Amino acid sequence: MREQPDEVQRLVHLGEALRRAHLDLDGGQLRELSAQQHQVTRALARQAGQSAARAGQPVSDDTRQEVQDTLHAVLADADAARQWAKGRLTKPLSAPAGFPALSRQPAPPATVRRTEPADEVADRDAASARHREQQEERLEQARRQAADAEQHLHAREADLTAAEEKLSRAEEEQQQAEQRVDDLSRQLKDAESAKQRAREAARRARDLTRAADRAAREARRRAHDTAAHADHLAEQLPHTS
């Protein structure tokens, strides 16, 4: 793999994009990335086969399958991708459960051509059947997860609708309460003004009352003095017989 560092990085970055698309349940993005996956894994698998052939180690169908499974695991798991990119893998890997298997292109043929024995053909067919079964199981699991996510989405949307309705009612009640506060504030202001006017009127009335009382006392005093003076004058007049 170190002979093609660009392809290694492409596969690592492709795995990151595929994992994001899987978490987002983005079918369109998964289909688009699947085409890139075919190109990168094909190139890497071909490189592995050629390297093994040059070393005098023909690649069997099982080995090709292990290469495909390892590449799939690298796409599905970030830790596996880091170990693989650093060349630290000690055994073949398998993708974790729950990550949808992508359709794969046929593995590139080994550089050394030979006639396959019947038992190898049978083993290859059995491996292909197992692989197909695993793909179907993963697809079914992905569909169940998508259905659960859709159901969860509907439930949360219903919660959101109920919350929005409650918020609307609360805001309406708040507006009504604020209107009542405004009305009461105006009424209180008017009452305060009326109270002040009444206080001023009472003060003026008290002033008038005190003035009237002083005038009445002065009038009584004058009347008393005038009557006394009249009586005095009457006493001084000569009496007629």
Side-chain angles (χ1 to χ4, degrees):
M1 297 302 104
R2 295 179 182 270
E3 299 179 17
Q4 292 186 338
D6 292 340
E7 297 296 336
V8 170
Q9 288 302 314
R10 282 186 61 190
L11 189 70
V12 171
H13 294 158
L14 178 61
E16 294 173 354
L18 281 169
R19 290 191 294 275
R20 285 195 300 269
H22 171 56
L23 291 175
D24 295 339
L25 298 178
D26 190 342
Q29 183 71 4
L30 283 172
R31 286 190 294 272
E32 179 179 351
L33 295 172
S34 176
Q36 300 179 31
Q37 180 252 3
H38 295 325
Q39 297 175 0
V40 177
T41 55
R42 188 187 305 114
L44 292 172
R46 182 184 302 109
Q47 174 66 28
Q50 292 173 351
S51 297
R54 286 195 297 270
Q57 299 177 353
V59 179
S60 66
D61 291 334
D62 289 342
T63 301
R64 293 192 192 100
Q65 187 62 51
E66 288 176 351
V67 171
Q68 290 285 339
D69 291 341
T70 297
L71 293 177
H72 186 208
V74 169
L75 291 171
D77 184 78
D79 290 336
R82 285 191 291 270
Q83 295 298 321
W84 174 79
K86 295 177 181 178
R88 296 180 179 178
L89 294 182
T90 58
K91 62 180 180 179
L93 301 178
S94 297
F99 190 85
L102 300 172
S103 58
R104 302 179 180 127
Q105 295 293 330
T111 303
V112 179
R113 297 180 179 275
R114 61 187 179 87
T115 303
E116 296 179 322
D119 57 347
E120 291 188 7
V121 174
D123 291 342
R124 183 185 60 191
D125 293 342
S128 178
R130 288 194 302 271
H131 177 61
R132 177 64 179 177
E133 183 178 354
Q134 291 174 354
Q135 282 186 316
E136 291 175 351
E137 290 176 355
R138 290 168 180 167
L139 176 59
E140 182 61 27
Q141 184 176 9
R143 286 173 175 170
R144 288 195 300 269
Q145 291 175 344
D148 292 342
E150 185 73 16
Q151 185 177 1
H152 181 74
L153 172 61
H154 291 329
R156 299 291 76 76
E157 287 177 341
D159 292 343
L160 174 60
T161 300
E164 288 176 341
E165 293 175 353
K166 184 178 295 184
L167 173 61
S168 178
R169 290 193 298 269
E171 288 178 341
E172 183 177 356
E173 292 174 357
Q174 178 186 1
Q175 291 176 355
Q176 293 174 354
E178 290 175 348
Q179 184 61 45
R180 288 196 297 272
V181 169
D182 291 341
D183 294 341
L184 292 174
S185 297
R186 284 193 297 270
Q187 293 176 12
L188 177 61
K189 185 177 181 180
D190 293 341
E192 290 288 347
S193 298
K195 175 183 175 182
Q196 185 65 28
R197 290 194 298 271
R199 182 178 296 168
E200 291 294 328
R203 183 185 60 78
R204 289 193 297 271
R206 283 192 296 271
D207 291 343
L208 290 174
T209 300
R210 285 193 292 268
D213 182 62
R214 287 193 299 270
R217 286 197 302 271
E218 180 65 22
R220 281 195 296 270
R221 185 185 63 79
R222 288 180 180 178
H224 180 271
D225 292 345
T226 301
H229 181 65
D231 290 342
H232 179 68
L233 291 177
E235 290 177 354
Q236 293 179 354
L237 288 177
H239 297 280
T240 59
S241 55

